[in-house]
């Protein structure tokens, strides 16, 4: 019997190391696919259109909002970010687990629309790590860094609404915890009740 896929929402402040942890989960677990978001932010470093994000202009993004193409969206540090709906449901129907790297407002929208989604908040071992990691990336301007730090503080306050908190002091260890959460979530009665109700 093929099992239904899960929605796994991963949030955390910039600098928490979310994308490294997610990449490790994806390469260790072929049943997971990454939800590629659309954004109006320009590409950073080696980012490629259709790989990390779909890079679109504000006009295109606003037309996606209007036509209901997005499962959720939010404005974050001056740019739009949103999840195209169709690929998510295609993946779920193929039994894949879909991993989202999204911020807190979007995570709450997904929880509201899809109550079975598992929400994971990733943090570094201490808040001072965030500033260190943001500066170490050398990709954002000083004002963007300060904006991201301010945003990070308010994001911490929202972590209480998540289902799990993972501390990223070592990306492989954090990825193992995320994989353990996925395994446990797949055993929830909501997903497995068909095994008992048909008896
Ligand atoms: P970054 O610019 O560092 O790639 O991402 C900034 C923030 O936007 C991160 O917290 C990331 O998780 C979030 N983000 C990325 N894609 C989406 C999305 O589709 N929807 C929402 N709500 N947030 C997103």
């Amino acid at each position: 019997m093929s099992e239904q896929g899960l929605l796994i929402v991963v949030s955390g402040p910039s600098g928490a190391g979310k994308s490294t942890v997610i990449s490790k989960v994806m390469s260790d677990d072929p049943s997971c696919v990454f939800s590629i978001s659309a954004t109006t932010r320009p590409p950073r470093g080696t980012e490629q259109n259709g790989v990390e994000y779909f890079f679109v202009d504000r006009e295109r993004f606003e037309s996606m909002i209007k036509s209901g193409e997005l499962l959720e969206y939010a404005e974050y540090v001056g740019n739009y970010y949103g999840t195209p709906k169709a690929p998510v449901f295609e993946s779920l129907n193929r039994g894949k687990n879909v991993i989202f790297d999204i911020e807190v407002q979007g995570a709450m929208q997904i929880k509201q629309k899809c109550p079975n989604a598992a929400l994971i908040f990733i943090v570094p071992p201490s808040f001072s790590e965030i500033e260190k990691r943001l500066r170490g990336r050398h990709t954002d301007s000083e004002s963007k860094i300060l904006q991201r730090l301010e945003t990070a503080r308010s994001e911490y306050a929202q972590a209480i609404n998540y289902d799990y908190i993972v501390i990223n002091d070592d990306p492989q260890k954090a990825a193992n915890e995320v994989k353990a959460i996925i395994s446990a979530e797949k055993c929830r009665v909501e997903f497995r009740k068909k095994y008992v109700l048909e008896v």
Side-chain angles (χ1 to χ4, degrees):
M1 213 182 299
S2 82
E3 299 209 335
Q4 199 200 324
L6 276 181
L7 299 181
I8 304 122
V9 175
V10 179
S11 303
S14 316
K18 272 172 302 172
S19 23
T20 314
V21 173
I22 291 175
S23 307
K24 285 190 184 293
V25 172
M26 307 281 306
S27 58
D28 290 353
D29 182 351
S31 71
C32 292
V33 296
F34 183 64
S35 163
I36 304 173
S37 299
T39 183
T40 56
R41 136 165 115 57
R44 215 165 39 205
T46 58
E47 286 178 340
Q48 279 176 286
N49 190 38
V51 180
E52 288 85 359
Y53 284 106
F54 295 108
F55 296 99
V56 299
D57 59 20
R58 285 187 85 84
E59 198 186 340
R60 169 75 186 116
F61 199 99
E62 282 164 3
S63 87
M64 291 167 95
I65 298 174
K66 279 206 194 96
S67 61
E69 282 172 64
L70 300 175
L71 180 58
E72 61 70 40
Y73 73 93
E75 202 153 2
Y76 181 91
V77 196
N79 284 299
Y80 278 130
Y81 294 82
T83 302
K85 200 189 285 181
V88 172
F89 292 102
E90 275 160 30
S91 298
L92 281 184
N93 291 340
R94 285 189 291 119
K96 296 284 186 188
N97 302 316
V98 184
I99 303 197
F100 304 85
D101 173 346
I102 64 177
E103 54 67 70
V104 293
Q105 305 165 68
M108 294 305 124
Q109 293 172 45
I110 293 204
K111 190 71 180 177
Q112 205 177 27
K113 288 182 185 160
C114 314
N116 284 335
L119 267 55
I120 304 175
F121 196 82
I122 298 194
V123 288
S126 72
F127 194 80
S128 57
E129 263 310 293
I130 292 182
E131 184 164 3
K132 211 167 100 191
R133 292 184 194 179
L134 281 177
R135 294 197 182 284
R137 283 205 303 219
H138 302 295
T139 48
D140 286 315
S141 65
E142 181 63 20
S143 72
K144 279 279 175 206
I145 290 175
L146 294 178
Q147 237 180 320
R148 280 174 187 269
L149 280 175
E150 201 40 51
T151 306
R153 264 179 236 287
S154 55
E155 284 172 328
Y156 265 64
Q158 304 276 338
I160 210 79
N161 298 318
Y162 281 64
D163 301 308
Y164 301 93
I165 293 178
V166 166
I167 318 289
N168 180 18
D169 50 357
D170 170 73
Q172 189 59 57
K173 213 170 112 212
N176 291 344
E177 287 195 349
V178 172
K179 286 188 286 173
I181 292 168
I182 296 173
S183 301
E185 284 285 322
K186 294 217 78 153
C187 301
R188 289 185 77 93
V189 170
E190 296 92 285
F191 294 107
R192 294 264 163 99
K193 60 185 171 208
K194 63 186 174 194
Y195 292 96
V196 290
L197 290 182
E198 69 190 16
V199 173

